[in-house]
Amino acid sequence: MAETAELTPDDIRARRAEAPKLRDRDLAENLGISEAELVAAHVGVDGPRRALRVEAHPDRLMPAAEAMGEVMALTRNPSAVHEKIGRYGNYHPGQHAAMVLTEAVDLRIFPSHWRHAFLVEVEGDGGTRRSLQVFDAAGDAVHKVILREGFDTAAWDRAKAELALDDRSQAARVAPREAPEAAKSRPDRAEELRAEWRKMTDTHQFLRMVSKLKMNRLGAYRIAGAPFVRRLAPGAVDAALHAVRDDGVEIMLFVGNRGCIQIHSGGIGTLTPMGPWQNVMDPDFNLHLRRDHLAEVWAVEKPTQRGPAVSVEAFDGEGRLILQCFAIPKEGRDSRPAWARIVERLENAEDAPAP
């Protein structure tokens, strides 16, 4: 991080004005602050960048997002950005987990991590860009709703009136960022893990199973062995994306963080690499993936009532889950056999050439 001295809101706004084209996340990183602190510095400001602090709970925000019409939904982690064009709707609240379930916008929401939220307006050459931005306790972005041309202006104004908080502070009180959970394995319970794995009937049982065995996802993969898992070369993710595109296979592609998981269900049309990034650049779906962050990649097979669920799952060097890819299991669109053939062809880690 470039700066270490504590910055005032005035300082932050001045740095923002000096670099108007730089993305908020990148500028915040350069300044040594969180993205939420960068946004909060513009609360109550009458200028080209304006922010309004609003209620952060998804029970309040998701109905407001639904009213805004067709938007971009954005969820990211440090290694991948997942963007979908569509409408919010079919919101299912829950104390520990909530969901948005539409054909285009498919979210799994964990409300305890929705801690700071803002309605943001930024003046630019193309007019005013408006977005709803949600951050966790550390000030890291959890989810963003970015309005598009033709949005419902009355819905935006209504959200500003109904969701606004009395707190007009230009500082965001953030907690230290939690370190990613390292892989937790129990080699002494490997046989028990395999026995429980064979009994699964639904993929959602997996995390409860490994937690009961005092492990986590990556730790379990490291000791499960065949036929449950196979470690792949880091380049396997790129190879899988190309094969999905070339074979016309539909997949479910998950990208998430502690507060939100966003899912694309469908095909992939255009892959555009740029430096370390691989980019899916389709009309209604964009993915931006840092290929240089792919430290461990696993092919995983879990038994379900409908047959094996095969996934490709990628982790960074700290053990953080970057993305997961599954076949679409929906009636009439079941691409499991085609997806399984793609995964079967992917290169094993031990067979990959040394970097």
Side-chain angles (χ1 to χ4, degrees), residues 226-293:
F228 308 105
V229 299
R230 176 168 61 98
R231 186 165 179 178
L232 303 175
V237 173
D238 217 25
L241 293 175
H242 279 85
V244 166
R245 179 198 64 184
D246 296 344
D247 296 353
V249 175
E250 293 188 322
I251 59 170
M252 299 180 72
L253 196 156
F254 296 64
V255 168
N257 51 59
R258 285 190 172 100
C260 189
I261 298 169
Q262 185 164 305
I263 306 164
H264 164 69
S265 296
I268 289 173
T270 302
L271 289 168
T272 307
M274 184 176 294
W277 294 90
Q278 178 59 278
N279 304 285
V280 177
M281 301 295 289
D282 292 340
D284 296 329
F285 170 55
N286 287 181
L287 172 73
H288 310 290
L289 172 66
R290 283 289 298 259
R291 293 176 292 184
D292 56 330
H293 288 189

Side-chain angles (χ1 to χ4, degrees), residues 147-159:
L147 275 63
R148 289 163 50 83
E149 187 176 350
F151 73 95
D152 189 325
T153 55
W156 177 259
D157 292 339
R158 191 162 55 249

Side-chain angles (χ1 to χ4, degrees), residues 108-266:
R108 306 295 178 268
I109 294 167
F110 307 100
S112 65
H113 294 286
W114 290 45
R115 303 294 291 276
H116 307 274
F118 304 88
L119 295 176
V120 180
E121 299 176 335
V122 180
E123 303 295 342
D125 295 338
T128 305
R129 301 192 304 275
R130 295 172 174 84
S131 59
L132 163 61
Q133 303 188 20
V134 183
F135 302 91
D136 65 13
D140 292 330
V142 167
H143 186 64
K144 296 183 181 182
V145 181
I146 301 168
L147 275 63
R148 289 163 50 83
E149 187 176 350
F151 73 95
D152 189 325
T153 55
W156 177 259
D157 292 339
R158 191 162 55 249
K160 291 171 68 174
E162 295 178 356
L163 300 179
L165 297 176
D166 293 334
D167 183 0
R168 303 302 169 95
S169 166
Q170 294 178 344
R173 293 178 291 277
V174 298
R177 184 178 290 127
E178 294 181 28
E181 183 181 58
K184 292 196 301 185
S185 294
R186 288 287 303 273
D188 59 313
R189 305 187 76 172
E191 285 304 322
E192 188 177 357
L193 169 66
R194 297 180 191 114
E196 292 297 318
W197 197 310
R198 292 186 183 96
K199 297 177 186 176
M200 282 197 300
T201 58
D202 188 285
T203 56
H204 296 98
Q205 299 167 354
F206 180 78
L207 289 181
R208 291 194 298 271
M209 176 189 75
V210 297
S211 177
K212 176 182 169 184
L213 296 173
K214 308 301 181 186
M215 304 185 210
N216 61 10
R217 183 191 302 274
L218 182 56
Y221 292 169
R222 287 182 178 179
I223 66 171
F228 308 105
V229 299
R230 176 168 61 98
R231 186 165 179 178
L232 303 175
V237 173
D238 217 25
L241 293 175
H242 279 85
V244 166
R245 179 198 64 184
D246 296 344
D247 296 353
V249 175
E250 293 188 322
I251 59 170
M252 299 180 72
L253 196 156
F254 296 64
V255 168
N257 51 59
R258 285 190 172 100
C260 189
I261 298 169
Q262 185 164 305
I263 306 164
H264 164 69
S265 296

